[in-house]
Amino acid sequence: MVVVDYQHSFNYRQLALGSYPIIQIRITRPDDPQLGVDTDAYLDSGAERSLFNGHFLTALDIDLVNNKPKPYGSTIGNSVTGYLHEVRLTVPEIGDFNLEIGFSEVQIRRNLLGRDFFNLVQIGFRERHLEYYLNPRP
Amino acid sequence: MDALRQIELVDKNKESRFGFVKGTGAGSLGCWSSPAGLTAGRGFAAVYRILAHETVHILDIHMPTLSGERIRQEVINARRDAPRPPTHGLRERELEWRRTHAGELRRYENQWVALEEEEIIAHAPDAAQAIRQAKARGVRTPYVFFVESEFDDSVRIGL
């Protein structure tokens, strides 16, 4: 049996519509940590890659459109284009992570942290308790 | 280095055993066992939780000596059920404001909001606009989030 002893516990965020595994993160430019924005991201174990609202690149003075477009498909077949940009994610007490994230061409309401982020940490969910757990190392 | 603390463990038969535990903080969990022979020929194992500086609450106690796997399982169970203090987030003050001012936030449904401490410094239908407004007010790293409508009862599945 595999046993993981988690160091950090987070409560799901209680919003008007329910409780969600949301994490607050800081996104900065890897080459200039002064340019950044704090926001909420939903932990989405079903997402193969992370996808953020492209408008957040405004805070980093980065042009959305580059030569790395990537279609992000939904379960019903529609897709949105995300442009891949390397950014630095900071989670207090957990660490800093450089990650190539897709930033959406269209506005999306929820920033999604997917399995590419899960690959950088150890994460566990306890839905019944509305808690999730994190360790800084995978 | 962790300090060792001597504790007294009393089993169901009111027999006392003394042992040493690592001097970790309140809320810590641990497992302690004495070798067979030390306590009148019987092994002894306990799963404990340190409640305060000098108080140890025994969660489970076993005689004779339990198998290593059983002790391990007891520790796992105790750890699983122990309340964990939540880790502090990035914007605790803003989160508290959001918790206590949900009604006020409803005015900004379907908008992106920039919140600094207890003040909404910008709001706009698109995130870029809210970020620009917040930066124009001198906030170098704004906290920007979307306020979802509470009347939208659809089930969300990521994208």
Side-chain angles (χ1 to χ4, degrees):
Chain A
M1 178 170 57
V2 176
V3 177
V4 180
D5 201 3
Y6 287 101
Q7 297 169 32
H8 299 282
S9 166
F10 297 84
N11 294 321
Y12 278 26
R13 180 84 57 78
Q14 186 74 43
L15 298 177
L17 294 172
S19 300
Y20 302 90
I22 293 174
I23 191 166
Q24 276 189 328
I25 54 165
R26 174 162 294 174
I27 313 169
T28 52
R29 268 176 80 135
D31 60 346
D32 186 355
Q34 300 298 318
L35 289 172
V37 62
D38 295 341
T39 191
D40 297 337
Y42 287 71
L43 296 165
D44 185 353
S45 62
E48 290 174 27
R49 291 191 74 137
S50 301
L51 182 66
F52 277 57
N53 188 318
H55 284 201
F56 278 82
L57 289 178
T58 303
L60 278 59
D61 276 348
I62 293 175
D63 290 330
L64 169 67
V65 177
N66 61 11
N67 60 356
K68 294 168 102 175
K70 187 89 181 162
Y72 280 67
S74 70
T75 53
I76 57 169
N78 294 340
S79 72
V80 298
T81 300
Y83 291 91
L84 303 180
H85 292 270
E86 183 164 313
V87 294
R88 194 158 181 77
L89 302 179
T90 302
V91 183
E93 299 192 48
I94 303 297
D96 298 326
F97 308 93
N98 279 9
L99 189 61
E100 194 174 56
I101 284 183
F103 286 85
S104 68
E105 199 172 37
V106 296
Q107 279 222 73
I108 57 171
R109 298 172 168 191
R110 294 181 174 185
N111 300 315
L112 306 176
L113 275 176
R115 287 168 50 202
D116 47 354
F117 176 72
F118 290 17
N119 188 45
L120 303 174
V121 295
Q122 174 65 50
I123 191 162
F125 296 90
R126 206 172 186 196
E127 188 70 24
R128 179 66 62 92
H129 289 233
L130 300 177
E131 290 178 349
Y132 65 89
Y133 311 110
L134 273 175
N135 279 343
R137 291 177 192 278
Chain B
M1 180 186 289
D2 292 329
L4 287 177
R5 177 187 301 156
Q6 189 176 32
I7 62 166
E8 181 185 11
L9 304 176
V10 182
D11 67 21
K12 290 169 186 167
N13 301 322
K14 307 294 180 193
E15 291 182 55
S16 292
R17 303 288 184 274
F18 287 91
F20 289 92
V21 298
K22 281 188 175 179
T24 48
S28 297
L29 287 166
C31 179
W32 174 80
S33 63
S34 70
L38 189 68
T39 56
R42 287 193 295 182
F44 183 93
V47 178
Y48 59 81
R49 179 185 297 151
I50 299 173
L51 296 176
H53 189 62
E54 294 300 332
T55 310
V56 176
H57 172 60
I58 307 300
L59 296 176
D60 205 349
I61 198 162
H62 302 280
M63 293 176 80
T65 303
L66 297 172
S67 69
E69 180 53 37
R70 177 76 191 278
I71 294 172
R72 185 168 164 270
Q73 192 56 52
E74 293 294 346
V75 172
I76 291 166
N77 291 343
R79 282 185 171 158
R80 188 191 62 198
D81 296 331
R84 294 169 173 80
T87 300
H88 292 298
L90 190 64
R91 294 280 196 148
E92 286 297 318
R93 198 162 168 183
E94 284 82 357
L95 280 184
E96 180 58 24
W97 189 90
R98 287 180 67 176
R99 270 191 289 269
T100 55
H101 293 77
E104 195 169 329
L105 265 180
R106 266 187 231 123
R107 291 164 45 197
Y108 304 99
E109 276 182 357
N110 298 316
Q111 292 190 59
W112 291 89
V113 165
L115 179 64
E116 204 61 27
E117 295 183 349
E118 280 123 19
E119 185 187 1
I120 291 173
I121 57 169
H123 60 93
D126 71 75
Q129 212 177 326
I131 291 168
R132 275 194 290 266
Q133 286 174 16
K135 293 220 170 198
R137 290 193 58 176
V139 178
R140 186 182 287 172
T141 308
Y143 171 42
V144 179
F145 58 91
F146 186 77
V147 181
E148 295 187 357
S149 168
E150 69 175 284
F151 299 108
D152 181 358
D153 66 349
S154 55
V155 175
R156 301 296 173 86
I157 52 167
L159 264 183

